[in-house]
Amino acid sequence: MELTRHARLVRPVRSEIRFADDVARAMLVERPGLLRALGVTGMWRTISGQQIAAFTGEVFGKLSDDILFSAGLLARGRLLTGITGLRLPPLYRTAWTAPLGDIETQVTYQQWLALTAGVPWRNGPQADRHNILASELGLRCAEYGGWPCVLGESMAQFNQLFGDDKVPAGRNWAGDLLLVRADGLRVVVEVSASAGVPFAEKADRWAQFLAQDKTKATMVVFVDARRPDRSHDRLGQVIHRSMKKSISRAAFKSMDRVTAGVDERMAIVRWDDWFPGPHHAAPEFLTFDVQRPTGPNDNRWEWASVTDPFEVAGPKDPKTAQAIIGNARLLYGLPHWLGDGPKPDVTQWLLRHAGFDTPPVAPHVRRGRSELRRYRRERFGGNAERVDDQQHDR
């Protein structure tokens, strides 16, 4: 109950705690599948059990739920819709009340890195609808969009995209998910359902940082995610036009933004432009078609395919920008099928960090038959044949 209240979810799924805290944490460390589920939740902020199973490729059932909840690491609950008899699946968040704690000392360095990506463990934004839509969009992009790397909110932080020295201390600005194209272009997606001053400030902030980005390695796409049945009514059209106006105004606010080509790296699209109905994706989603304010004044907004490097230019240094694709294969929050392929050698990095070029232990050498017989004769003398017989009997 306490975890549910702290997470601000409406009601608990089950109030009982099946395992003691220390027992649950010990069970968690012994189950890599649960560590992956925890890593997915930490990266994507709010997520359903079905989405966890899709990300990890493993069943996320009652036992997994109970262990993570009893360990004090996840909050769980359901959203109320006001529709009688409609019981939605449970939602999960990392718990407000419990950091990783002693788990960080019980897992290997590679497991810790896969779980946290080397960044501080924190809760992040708690807008449930917003986070669930971002998680769903991430899964769809990973499965159908051809993106080699799809990461959640914890990997779309401004300080990771633009550098710690560019972001004021104490600011946890971030996008909702991060897509990486094969050439290393990082496409940050911002899911929004309202316009107004907060949206205008967010667009202006993105334009400011994009103008300072000399690598040209990042762009932002705003997804207008109003309810599909309301996105094209009069109010929905007003809100969408307001979003476009804020983006265009931010992109052309100053000469440094104009000369940096910020308008080419800011875009917007409606959710139902990509997904016009249940269980249906438009062809424009597969090519990630978006609108950018790159046209003339009388026809400002032009369509462009983000997956096409001839329409949306890639980074200046693709080799450096592409490094994230291989490095991200270590992370639990990455959709599991994108984790195949070569990964960084964490062991070698640890050795170099400790000052060693090779492991500081004698290598194990498998002796050949002739060398083993010679060793036995030298060691056992006339008893060598008896030793051979004993080994044969075994």
Side-chain angles (χ1 to χ4, degrees):
M1 289 292 290
E2 178 189 0
L3 296 179
T4 302
R5 285 196 300 268
H6 274 283
R8 299 175 188 171
L9 293 173
V10 176
R11 52 172 293 191
V13 180
R14 289 184 298 277
S15 60
E16 75 276 7
I17 295 179
R18 272 184 71 183
F19 307 102
D21 177 275
D22 55 341
V23 173
R25 288 179 174 242
M27 295 171 71
L28 169 62
V29 171
E30 295 172 357
R31 289 169 167 78
L34 289 184
L35 287 175
R36 283 191 285 273
L38 183 61
V40 167
T41 310
M43 179 180 288
W44 295 87
R45 305 312 190 194
T46 308
I47 195 166
S48 70
Q50 293 94 328
Q51 289 175 329
I52 292 176
F55 272 106
T56 63
E58 300 185 21
V59 174
F60 188 80
K62 184 176 185 299
L63 180 60
S64 304
D65 179 320
D66 286 335
I67 292 173
L68 288 169
F69 184 73
S70 299
L73 296 169
L74 286 193
R76 65 190 181 193
R78 298 184 193 272
L79 290 179
L80 293 180
T81 63
I83 302 176
T84 305
L86 179 61
R87 186 173 175 83
L88 295 177
L91 301 181
Y92 300 91
R93 296 181 186 151
T94 51
W96 279 102
T97 54
L100 290 178
D102 55 352
I103 287 180
E104 294 190 83
T105 63
Q106 296 176 15
V107 297
T108 66
Y109 176 76
Q110 183 162 332
Q111 287 176 319
W112 172 84
L113 191 62
L115 183 63
T116 66
V119 299
W121 188 260
R122 68 184 188 88
N123 296 89
Q126 300 298 303
D128 297 315
R129 177 184 181 273
H130 181 99
N131 292 344
I132 290 292
L133 286 176
S135 301
E136 185 64 27
L137 181 58
L139 282 170
R140 295 182 186 187
C141 288
E143 187 169 2
Y144 301 109
W147 301 91
C149 182
V150 177
L151 299 169
E153 190 264 349
S154 69
M155 291 282 89
Q157 307 282 328
F158 272 51
N159 59 346
Q160 295 168 335
L161 296 169
F162 303 110
D164 289 321
D165 57 324
K166 301 289 194 304
V167 182
R171 296 293 188 176
N172 294 318
W173 295 324
D176 295 314
L177 65 141
L178 174 65
L179 310 173
V180 184
R181 205 169 65 183
D183 62 356
L185 178 67
R186 298 173 297 191
V187 181
V188 183
V189 177
E190 287 272 18
V191 179
S192 300
S194 60
V197 174
F199 183 88
E201 291 176 348
K202 181 184 293 187
D204 187 69
R205 185 187 309 131
W206 272 109
Q208 175 188 344
F209 279 86
L210 290 174
Q212 299 170 3
D213 178 24
K214 305 303 181 185
T215 66
K216 308 286 187 181
T218 304
M219 76 171 294
V220 60
V221 174
F222 295 92
V223 177
D224 179 358
R226 279 181 55 78
R227 281 177 47 173
D229 60 334
R230 297 181 180 177
S231 62
H232 291 280
D233 62 14
R234 186 173 181 277
L235 179 58
Q237 292 177 7
V238 169
I239 290 175
H240 191 70
R241 284 198 299 269
S242 177
M243 288 181 173
K244 283 185 169 182
K245 186 175 181 179
S246 295
I247 294 170
S248 179
R249 183 178 296 166
F252 295 100
K253 184 176 181 179
S254 61
M255 186 54 64
D256 64 319
R257 299 183 186 185
V258 174
T259 56
V262 170
D263 59 317
E264 298 177 355
R265 289 181 287 143
M266 295 186 75
I268 189 171
V269 68
R270 282 190 175 100
W271 180 276
D272 53 3
D273 287 335
W274 288 342
F275 310 110
H279 312 292
H280 182 73
E284 289 77 11
F285 169 65
L286 303 180
T287 52
F288 219 75
D289 286 4
V290 297
Q291 286 185 295
R292 300 183 298 174
T294 52
N297 288 335
D298 58 344
N299 190 22
R300 176 68 72 189
W301 293 90
E302 298 179 320
W303 286 95
S305 169
V306 179
T307 58
D308 186 347
F310 293 101
E311 293 192 28
V312 178
K316 285 187 174 180
D317 184 3
K319 186 175 181 180
T320 300
Q322 289 169 331
I324 187 176
I325 298 174
N327 293 340
R329 295 191 185 116
L330 289 171
L331 304 182
Y332 290 151
L334 185 79
H336 68 92
W337 61 92
L338 297 182
D340 298 332
K343 301 177 178 64
D345 189 348
V346 177
T347 304
Q348 290 299 320
W349 183 89
L350 286 173
L351 285 172
R352 290 195 299 270
H353 189 68
F356 297 101
D357 293 326
T358 58
V361 293
H364 174 72
V365 178
R366 185 181 180 87
R367 297 177 183 273
R369 286 181 177 273
S370 59
E371 186 180 358
L372 188 59
R373 290 194 184 98
R374 184 168 60 252
Y375 169 78
R376 286 172 175 169
R377 283 196 298 270
E378 294 172 356
R379 177 69 177 80
F380 300 104
N383 296 324
E385 296 299 327
R386 184 166 60 84
V387 172
D388 283 340
D389 291 341
Q390 292 174 350
Q391 294 291 337
H392 179 73
D393 292 341
R394 291 180 183 174

